[in-house]
């Protein structure tokens, strides 16, 4: 298990208390789970994602991530319509372990309220939260 | 509860293990990858710290009588199809029951001599089993002693297990001679007569046993407690070139699930120890309606006509349910609960059957995507092939009752198939 100092937590992302990350990319926001989450879950063997066109509010469950250890819910960092899902996770769910912020992204949404992004935690706040839960 | 630790605890932490509580012990769940650790046991070898398990010694002129009166298997007739008696150097699986026929714990009993047996039981169960046996011992000349914590235990499991052990044993030829499944040699305590029989190159005495909890070929190695860390390191070093991995409890759980082996206090427990996939652990007579011997709990088992049925299942894909979960029949009616649901990452479907990564006849290009599997406890007997649904708070998954799960397991194969002098 990684020490907090070993975690990869990029500066340009925003984070949630449920260990999802969000990144703005033009008018879209890309979403995945953090290095901390993938490390805690262990080998990810299945990712259940919604379909393009589905809409969610912030905090809604949008899918599950299944590791050898457990099945965990995925929650929307912000509301919006799903405009893309990472289809490569169907055959290669381990991408979430190997590259959680890159090839292991999960979905892209068109936010219904772009202001919600700014309410998410930045790196420092997320790290502080992780320290508090140790 | 304060977490107990094995002498390897610091080693596990130093090597990045993801730790969790099990049976009162703080144990590794996995090091870098539970999936790779599971696959290592099927393809090379996996090395497990199982020093959290307990050993209860039963000795004295009355030892046989006490065990025969409390253990579900028949020590006078448990070896081979002709039911020969247990002899020194052989071990047998069964359970200790209370008077209700419920499981106190399951155990493998190792016969050291006519007046000395070691009952290997589950983590944290040393005191409870010792107390249970002492309570039944009145009038019999025996001493029951909990040896928990006085030994270490390392399981070396997988096709490379014999090659790895050959590199650390002082005399592998002698050690491996006539060592079939459920046979053992030596002992971890110098105090025991068998101690000199098996030594490692470093001089330490060990009990080397052709047993395990993975369904695969391999050994359990009982060591002196103080030598555990150095023996662990020498076994790991011997396995490194072959690709052997240290393994945690997650791989142990998924391997034993695929091998249709029960986890005590989860798949067997506070209900009658009958109607389950392990009838060989009970001394049924020819007709299957009575027992060949009497033992604590026998009358309760025979009277428990409505005892629940425990059955193995396999899912359609690798998705599992999280406990607690219920079992639904094809009309949607609830018929029981899920005892174990794990994913065996070494198996998958091709055509109409299941193959393992180790199946010699797997079709070309077969990749094991993993299948969920485990045990359900239902209120009726169900035929192999019966379709059910498992339902947890989140999802429903389709599963089928089966009579076996991971094919082409190697635990029972002759040692000579895995090692040449």
């Amino acid at each position: 298990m990684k020490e907090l100092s070993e975690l990869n937590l990029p500066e340009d992302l925003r984070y949630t208390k449920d260990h999802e990350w969000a990144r703005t990319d033009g008018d879209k926001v890309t979403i995945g789970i953090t290095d901390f989450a993938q490390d805690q879950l262990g080998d990810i063997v299945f990712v259940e994602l919604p379909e393009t066109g589905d809409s969610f509010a912030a905090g809604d469950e949008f899918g599950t991530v299944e590791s050898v250890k457990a099945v965990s819910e995925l929650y929307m960092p912000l509301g919006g319509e799903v405009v893309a899902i990472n289809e490569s996770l169907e055959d290669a769910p381990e991408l979430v372990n190997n590259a959680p912020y890159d090839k292991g992204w999960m979905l892209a949404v068109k936010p219904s309220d772009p202001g919600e992004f700014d309410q998410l935690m930045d790196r420092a706040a997320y790290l502080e939260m992780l320290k508090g839960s140790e | 509860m304060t977490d107990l630790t094995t002498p390897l605890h610091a080693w596990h932490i130093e090597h990045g293990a993801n730790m969790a509580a099990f049976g009162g012990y703080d144990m590794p769940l996995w090091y870098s990858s539970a999936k790779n650790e599971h696959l290592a046991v099927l393809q090379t070898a996996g090395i497990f710290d199982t020093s959290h398990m307990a050993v209860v010694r039963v000795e004295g002129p009355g030892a046989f009588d006490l065990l025969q009166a409390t253990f579900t298997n028949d020590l006078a007739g448990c070896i081979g199809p002709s039911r020969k008696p247990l002899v020194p150097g052989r071990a047998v699986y069964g359970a200790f029951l209370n008077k209700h026929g419920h499981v106190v714990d399951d155990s493998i009993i190792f016969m050291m001599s006519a007046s000395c047996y070691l009952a290997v039981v589950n983590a944290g169960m040393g005191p409870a089993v010792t107390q249970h046996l002492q309570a039944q011992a009145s009038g019999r000349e025996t001493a029951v002693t909990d040896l928990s914590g006085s030994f270490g235990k390392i399981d070396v499991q997988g096709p490379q297990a014999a090659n790895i052990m050959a590199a650390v044993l002082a005399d592998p030829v002698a050690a491996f001679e006539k060592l079939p499944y459920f046979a053992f040699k030596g002992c971890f305590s110098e105090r025991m007569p068998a101690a000199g029989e098996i030594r490692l190159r470093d001089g330490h005495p060990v009990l080397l046993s052709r047993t395990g909890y993975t369904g695969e070929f391999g050994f359990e190695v009982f060591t002196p407690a103080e030598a555990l860390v150095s023996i662990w390191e020498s076994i790991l070093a011997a396995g490194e070139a072959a690709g052997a991995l240290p393994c945690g409890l997650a791989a142990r759980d998924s391997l034993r699930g695929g091998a249709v082996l029960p986890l005590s206090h989860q798949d067997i427990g506070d209900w009658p120890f009958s109607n389950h996939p392990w009838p060989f652990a009970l001394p049924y007579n020819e007709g299957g309606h009575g027992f060949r011997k009497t033992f604590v709990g026998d009358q309760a088992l025979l009277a428990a006509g409505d005892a629940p049925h425990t059955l193995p299942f396999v899912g359609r894909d690798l998705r599992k349910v999280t406990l607690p979960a219920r079992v639904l029949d094809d009309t949607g009616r609830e018929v029981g609960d899920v005892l174990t649901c794990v994913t065996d990452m070494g198996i998958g479907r091709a055509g109409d059957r299941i193959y393992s990564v180790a199946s010699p006849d797997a079709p070309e290009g077969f990749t094991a995507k993993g299948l969920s599997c485990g045990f359900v406890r239902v209120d009726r007997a169900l035929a192999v092939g019966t379709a059910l649904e498992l339902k947890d708070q989140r999802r429903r998954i389709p599963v089928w009752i089966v009579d076996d799960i991971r094919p082409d397991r190697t635990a029972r194969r002759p040692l000579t198939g895995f090692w040449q002098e």
Side-chain angles (χ1 to χ4, degrees):
Chain A
M1 211 163 59
K2 291 186 180 181
E3 300 290 333
L4 287 184
S5 59
E6 295 172 295
L7 291 175
N8 174 16
L9 300 173
E11 285 285 357
D12 63 327
L13 304 186
R14 295 298 170 91
Y15 300 90
T16 72
K17 64 175 173 39
D18 300 307
H19 311 291
E20 286 86 16
W21 57 261
R23 177 195 283 130
T24 50
D25 180 13
D27 61 345
K28 292 181 300 183
V29 173
T30 308
I31 290 163
I33 65 167
T34 67
D35 191 28
F36 175 82
Q38 71 78 21
D39 186 55
Q40 290 283 321
L41 288 167
D43 288 321
I44 287 161
V45 294
F46 198 84
V47 183
E48 223 162 22
L49 294 176
E51 299 194 2
T52 305
D54 289 353
S55 285
F56 296 92
D60 279 359
E61 182 181 332
F62 70 83
T64 58
V65 60
E66 182 151 358
S67 71
V68 169
K69 179 180 160 190
V71 185
S72 308
E73 294 89 354
L74 297 164
Y75 297 103
M76 275 294 188
L78 70 180
E81 182 189 330
V82 178
V83 293
I85 62 161
N86 184 356
E87 287 172 3
S88 57
L89 297 183
E90 191 175 334
D91 285 326
E94 65 274 12
L95 290 172
V96 177
N97 292 118
N98 301 340
Y101 304 114
D102 179 25
K103 288 184 174 166
W105 68 279
M106 290 180 174
L107 43 83
V109 299
K110 198 169 171 203
S112 44
D113 173 8
E116 284 180 344
F117 182 85
D118 297 320
Q119 292 164 25
L120 298 171
M121 283 181 272
D122 62 10
R123 180 186 192 278
Y126 180 60
L127 193 57
E128 207 50 44
M129 185 195 87
L130 292 179
K131 279 180 188 159
S133 63
E134 255 192 321
Chain B
M1 176 174 13
T2 311
D3 277 344
L4 300 168
T5 58
T6 79
L8 279 164
H9 190 258
W11 192 97
H12 299 318
I13 303 280
E14 261 170 51
H15 290 78
N18 191 313
M19 306 292 286
F22 180 82
Y25 283 76
D26 190 37
M27 295 297 288
L29 269 187
W30 65 80
Y31 298 88
S32 65
S33 160
K35 177 183 173 184
N36 290 345
E37 291 163 25
H38 180 112
L39 293 175
V41 170
L42 301 182
Q43 295 176 314
T44 55
I47 298 162
F48 302 77
D49 173 19
T50 51
S51 310
H52 58 314
M53 295 186 69
V55 172
V56 175
R57 186 180 61 211
V58 182
E59 62 183 344
F64 173 87
D65 277 352
L66 173 59
L67 291 172
Q68 192 68 329
T70 53
F71 197 53
T72 57
N73 216 321
D74 180 9
L75 272 57
C78 59
I79 304 289
S82 54
R83 288 194 190 134
K84 291 182 179 150
L86 191 66
V87 292
R90 298 301 284 264
V92 59
Y93 174 78
F96 296 108
L97 309 182
N98 63 21
K99 65 180 180 185
H100 306 295
H102 299 185
V103 174
V104 175
D105 204 12
D106 66 350
S107 177
I108 294 177
I109 290 182
F110 291 72
M111 183 170 178
M112 308 304 293
S113 71
S115 60
C116 183
Y117 298 79
L118 300 180
V120 179
V121 297
N122 289 277
M125 291 304 295
V129 172
T130 301
Q131 201 175 22
H132 175 73
L133 292 178
Q134 282 170 343
Q136 306 294 331
S138 63
R140 294 189 178 95
E141 214 179 314
T142 64
V144 182
T145 313
D146 180 6
L147 302 183
S148 300
S150 72
F151 63 94
K153 180 168 168 287
I154 300 168
D155 292 11
V156 185
Q157 303 274 299
Q160 289 296 325
N163 288 326
I164 292 167
M165 288 311 297
V168 298
L169 285 162
D171 185 351
V173 177
F176 290 165
E177 195 192 1
K178 293 192 182 138
L179 194 66
Y181 187 53
F182 266 66
F184 71 94
K185 294 178 181 177
C187 195
F188 50 88
S189 163
E190 297 281 8
R191 178 186 167 275
M192 306 282 287
E197 231 177 87
I198 301 284
R199 287 190 189 275
L200 300 181
R201 286 180 170 206
D202 63 14
H204 287 115
V206 295
L207 188 159
L208 179 73
S209 170
R210 272 289 307 281
T211 47
Y213 190 46
T214 63
E216 302 303 326
F217 173 81
F219 305 93
E220 290 181 290
V221 186
F222 296 76
T223 77
E226 65 280 8
L228 179 70
V229 176
S230 69
I231 293 173
W232 169 265
E233 285 181 333
S234 60
I235 290 175
L236 278 178
E240 198 175 354
L245 292 179
C247 296
L249 295 185
R252 190 168 157 84
D253 197 35
S254 52
L255 285 158
R256 68 93 190 169
V260 200
L261 299 171
L263 175 59
S264 195
H265 310 289
Q266 182 167 311
D267 301 311
I268 54 179
D270 289 332
W271 66 93
F273 185 66
S274 57
N275 297 340
H276 55 56
W278 311 286
F280 51 82
L282 287 162
Y284 284 114
N285 60 22
E286 291 302 328
H289 299 295
F291 297 127
R292 305 192 300 274
K293 67 162 190 175
T294 60
F295 57 95
V296 175
D298 60 348
Q299 291 311 308
L301 289 189
L302 294 174
D306 58 351
H309 292 254
T310 302
L311 297 159
F313 69 86
V314 174
R316 183 170 60 198
D317 55 35
L318 57 69
R319 274 175 282 185
K320 49 187 178 290
V321 289
T322 307
L323 303 187
R326 310 296 295 167
V327 181
L328 310 178
D329 70 8
D330 58 358
T331 68
R333 198 161 39 136
E334 215 170 278
V335 294
D337 53 358
V338 182
L339 300 173
T340 283
C341 187
V342 294
T343 297
D344 186 328
M345 289 304 296
I347 59 175
R349 295 183 186 278
D352 58 356
R353 58 160 282 198
I354 294 170
Y355 295 90
S356 125
V357 289
S359 292
D361 59 345
E364 212 179 305
F366 169 76
T367 52
K369 290 190 169 166
L371 292 172
S372 58
C373 58
F375 300 103
V376 290
R377 182 178 56 180
V378 292
D379 60 10
R380 67 202 68 183
L382 295 173
V384 166
T386 302
L388 299 167
E389 263 192 334
L390 309 187
K391 178 177 183 286
D392 67 8
Q393 288 191 329
R394 184 181 299 115
R395 59 166 59 146
R396 290 178 178 215
I397 63 167
V399 304
W400 290 269
I401 297 298
V402 292
D403 54 6
D404 201 6
I405 301 175
R406 188 171 67 249
D408 303 306
R409 296 197 300 274
T410 55
R412 293 166 188 272
R413 293 205 193 142
L415 196 152
T416 48
F418 298 94
W419 184 74
Q420 264 84 44
E421 296 185 40

